[in-house]
Amino acid sequence: QGELRVQDAYTLTAESVEFLNGFLRTQIGRRVRVEFLVGTNTFTDKAGTLLGVGANYILLREANTDDIMACDFFNIKFVTFFY
């Protein structure tokens, strides 16, 4: 009935969408705005196209230039996806 069977279980990895890294990888190519917490109470945001997601970073192509920015994954607080 409500029991979890062994064959129903699966392994979570960094690519799993249950983790932010895994979900962000499904959004590569999309325009995003990422908000970062810098220090204890300062927010800054960056906007552009999500190019890649690593274990501890994301790559953004900045909105007004073709420059590529590597951003620290662990300071990310909010991500807005533009459809």
Side-chain angles (χ1 to χ4, degrees):
Q1 306 276 347
E3 299 173 3
L4 176 65
R5 298 177 308 201
V6 173
Q7 64 264 30
D8 290 340
Y10 63 95
T11 303
L12 292 177
T13 66
E15 289 78 31
S16 300
V17 295
E18 287 83 355
F19 292 103
L20 185 56
N21 291 57
F23 177 73
L24 286 175
R25 283 188 182 97
T26 69
Q27 303 299 305
I28 289 174
R30 189 164 304 283
R31 288 187 324 109
V32 296
R33 183 179 67 240
V34 183
E35 296 177 62
F36 300 89
L37 178 62
V38 180
T40 58
N41 62 354
T42 304
F43 276 90
T44 187
D45 68 326
K46 299 294 180 183
T49 302
L50 182 62
L51 297 180
V53 180
N56 63 352
Y57 67 92
I58 62 170
L59 296 176
L60 293 179
R61 181 183 304 121
E62 292 187 279
N64 297 326
T65 70
D66 280 333
D67 295 340
I68 296 174
M69 179 183 306
C71 306
D72 178 34
F73 188 83
F74 298 106
N75 289 332
I76 295 173
K77 294 302 171 197
F78 304 102
V79 182
T80 302
F81 303 93
F82 297 102
Y83 283 84

